[in-house]
Amino acid sequence: MDVLNAIKDRQSTRAFLNKAVDQHSIETILNTARFAPSGVNTQPWNVVVVTGEFIQKIGDSIIQAREAGTPENPDYHYYPTEWIEPYKSRRKACGLALYSAVNIAIDEKEKRKAQWYRNYHFFGAPIGLLFFLECSLEKGSWVDMGMFIQNVMLAARGLGLETCPQASLAEYPDLVRKIVDVPKEKALLCGMALGYADTQQPINQYRTTREPVESFTRFLGF
């Protein structure tokens, strides 16, 4: 797979085959992703790889907290407190496309909740990745983490695997840190589902749209 197609054809996969991913493949992905750039070569990434009972514990713990009405306490705010255009419309379109793909109507609240709760068990993927960053580091290191995480997703595609980056898994970082034994000095950025895509599932059939280059780019001096 060439790099351009690996990037353009990547999608957030939310249904996976019941097929194991061996540790060597995960190590190969991370061994490739570590060549991401970082300011003054800080290489700020910290990764915890989970499977089996750890995936189950993480999912169960987060769902229990949500059902109990426990407020989220993320280490950072991923989304704005007030949505403005064009981001508000893009967000709405994304949600409508996802639930339409699985034939869940906007008023079917329990079905929508059940679908959302699949986030917390990594959508049934055999492997979950958790990305941590030292809290003392600044915003530049968060940029570095984004490039590293993108490398993980592209490297996975090179091995025939697919992924779904998940900010939802960082909603209750204290719960996750306790389960995987990570100190509070490390912020939880996100999780990621990793496995072989079940291409027959409707939720993997829909694609979000992308804006054309001219809508976000200015060329000067050409």
Side-chain angles (χ1 to χ4, degrees), residues 24-219:
H24 176 71
S25 295
I26 302 167
E27 291 174 348
T28 298
I29 291 168
L30 296 175
N31 190 44
T32 303
R34 69 190 175 97
F35 288 96
S38 60
V40 296
N41 199 32
T42 48
Q43 303 176 65
W45 31 83
N46 287 265
V47 185
V48 176
V49 183
V50 294
T51 189
E53 64 177 303
F54 285 94
I55 286 179
Q56 191 67 41
K57 286 180 180 179
I58 290 169
D60 291 352
S61 180
I62 295 175
I63 291 172
Q64 183 179 7
R66 294 195 69 88
E67 287 292 292
T70 304
E72 299 174 10
N73 66 326
D75 293 321
Y76 70 104
H77 294 292
Y78 192 104
Y79 297 111
T81 54
E82 183 176 349
W83 290 89
I84 62 172
E85 296 296 348
Y87 316 110
K88 182 178 180 180
S89 294
R90 291 175 187 169
R91 177 196 183 204
K92 182 178 180 180
C94 180
L96 287 174
L98 188 153
Y99 288 112
S100 294
V102 291
N103 198 30
I104 297 177
I106 193 169
D107 59 343
E108 294 182 297
K109 293 183 179 180
E110 287 303 310
K111 288 184 178 180
R112 289 169 71 91
K113 183 172 77 170
Q115 176 61 41
W116 179 255
Y117 277 8
R118 296 188 69 248
N119 273 281
Y120 305 123
H121 289 108
F122 296 85
F123 294 111
I127 301 296
L129 305 177
L130 298 165
F131 299 94
F132 294 90
L133 176 72
E134 294 282 352
C135 294
S136 62
L137 296 174
E138 290 293 344
K139 291 181 180 178
S141 292
W142 292 69
V143 175
D144 298 339
M145 284 296 297
M147 292 186 281
F148 173 79
I149 291 169
Q150 175 79 347
N151 270 8
V152 170
M153 293 188 286
L154 297 180
R157 300 212 72 216
L159 297 182
L161 296 158
E162 298 295 348
T163 59
C164 183
Q166 298 173 257
S168 57
L169 287 161
E171 292 170 354
Y172 296 90
D174 292 333
L175 296 178
V176 176
R177 275 190 288 261
K178 182 177 180 181
I179 292 169
V180 300
D181 192 25
V182 168
K184 63 180 181 180
E185 289 77 18
K186 294 183 187 293
L188 175 56
L189 273 66
C190 68
M192 183 184 292
L194 171 70
Y196 293 93
D198 186 344
T199 57
Q200 301 304 309
Q201 291 297 318
I203 200 165
N204 286 337
Q205 304 300 316
Y206 93 101
R207 294 295 301 269
T208 52
T209 60
R210 293 295 188 270
E211 296 297 311
V213 172
E214 59 268 22
S215 72
F216 60 82
T217 309
R218 295 172 64 209
F219 292 93

